[in-house]
Amino acid sequence: MGHSRIGTLPATRRWKEVVQLIADGADVSKVAEATLKAAELAFAWVQEDVGFREAANLMVQIAQTTKDQNPTAALAKLGIEISENTSVAEVAMAVGEALDQRVNAQRGRSDFGEMAGKALVSAVIGQIKDKLPTLFEPTRDDIAGALRSAGQEKGFGEFASHFFSRVTGDSLDYFLSKTLATKLGEGQRFATNNQMAEFMGAMRTLCKETAVISKEYAGGWLSKHRFEEGGNISRETIGGFAWYGMQKMRAELAMRAIEHEH
């Protein structure tokens, strides 16, 4: 396996409906729901995608390190090497490199896997950026302290919901970007680039709001399986968790589209 591209969506009836919804000025919730329906076949293989599964696995393992007596050493065992005096950018790079090593070892690079990797890095940044000292460079211990909440029920819910939101948003952008560009210009849905950017911004906001549904699910899942599996949650269990989290996002987006009609 080399790099696997998701590709563009075929000119199916469902995709034509997406294009028509955009042209007609439909709300972002309707466009998002229709896009996910149209992309169903393209996403059929994602459950087994190496990058997606490895990103989810590393996310849970990072949360698990917060319970270790030496969390920075535990992060190093995961391949996340952090220097004594560090920065948010260095941590983001370290997480990305650790994930790349895992994916490259399985020769399983894909477009969707890269989206999942970016989502993981974004989720880690979201966990630490507002919890670090502002007057001095953060240390390894500061990073470990900032990540501590990710190992708690509420904190992991926020960590995972950020991941699911970003993956979903990037996926929608992946499929919609070329189509939106064809609806740009005088007499089209988007008269300017700014209007198109506002639409995609609203799509991102919708994904963030939708991801709230996964907070309680994710936090409860971590507590349950940490107890049941003695703190060593299996890859199979994590894979099921990640895929179900994506399904919950899709179901909630569909529900929001229906609600918008009434």
Side-chain angles (χ1 to χ4, degrees):
M1 287 177 63
H3 189 287
S4 175
R5 297 190 63 81
I6 299 175
T8 55
L9 293 175
T12 60
R13 177 180 59 81
R14 282 183 171 179
W15 188 243
K16 289 176 181 176
E17 288 174 2
V18 173
V19 175
Q20 192 60 51
L21 284 169
I22 294 169
D24 292 345
D27 179 78
V28 289
S29 61
K30 288 292 296 179
V31 175
E33 192 249 351
T35 301
L36 290 175
K37 276 187 178 178
E40 230 160 357
L41 288 177
F43 277 126
W45 53 272
V46 163
Q47 187 174 6
E48 300 303 323
D49 182 81
V50 170
F52 175 66
R53 292 177 72 88
E54 289 297 339
N57 194 55
L58 187 53
M59 176 173 66
V60 175
Q61 288 180 327
I62 289 170
Q64 294 280 68
T65 65
T66 65
K67 298 295 184 183
D68 199 277
Q69 287 187 340
N70 188 341
T72 55
L75 286 170
K77 287 179 182 177
L78 299 179
I80 302 173
E81 298 280 356
I82 302 171
S83 57
E84 176 55 38
N85 292 303
T86 185
S87 65
V88 172
E90 184 186 330
V91 174
M93 189 176 296
V95 172
E97 288 175 352
L99 181 59
D100 281 345
Q101 288 178 3
R102 295 175 180 216
V103 175
N104 290 339
Q106 299 180 59
R107 301 186 64 193
R109 300 198 71 82
S110 71
D111 289 346
F112 189 80
E114 290 186 7
M115 292 180 218
K118 289 176 182 177
L120 173 62
V121 171
S122 178
V124 170
I125 293 172
Q127 280 291 307
I128 66 176
K129 66 177 182 179
D130 296 327
K131 300 169 187 170
L132 296 174
T134 55
L135 296 178
F136 307 99
E137 283 187 335
T139 65
R140 279 191 295 238
D141 289 342
D142 290 328
I143 297 298
L147 278 172
R148 191 171 293 120
S149 65
Q152 299 163 358
E153 187 166 326
K154 180 181 177 183
F156 184 73
E158 293 170 350
F159 191 25
S161 68
H162 188 136
F163 174 76
F164 291 131
S165 168
R166 178 68 186 262
V167 171
T168 304
D170 283 0
S171 300
L172 288 168
D173 182 66
Y174 183 97
F175 286 116
L176 284 172
S177 56
K178 291 181 181 178
T179 299
L180 291 177
T182 67
K183 301 301 175 184
L184 174 65
E186 188 176 348
Q188 298 287 343
R189 165 73 188 273
F190 308 107
T192 66
N193 279 310
N194 281 345
Q195 287 183 359
M196 188 167 72
E198 285 175 6
F199 180 86
M200 287 311 300
M203 188 76 75
R204 293 280 178 182
T205 299
L206 172 67
C207 289
K208 287 179 182 177
E209 293 172 349
T210 301
V212 171
I213 193 73
S214 63
K215 283 186 180 181
E216 186 175 347
Y217 154 66
W221 174 88
L222 182 68
S223 295
K224 177 177 184 287
H225 287 281
R226 179 183 279 156
F227 173 76
E228 290 182 350
E229 300 184 41
N232 188 23
I233 304 174
S234 72
R235 293 175 63 86
E236 183 179 0
T237 300
I238 295 170
F241 155 74
W243 182 242
Y244 185 65
M246 293 298 293
Q247 297 308 303
K248 285 182 74 68
M249 286 289 294
R250 294 175 69 182
E252 183 66 11
L253 283 170
M255 185 66 69
R256 283 172 179 254
I258 292 170
E259 289 173 353
H260 194 268
E261 292 178 346
H262 300 290

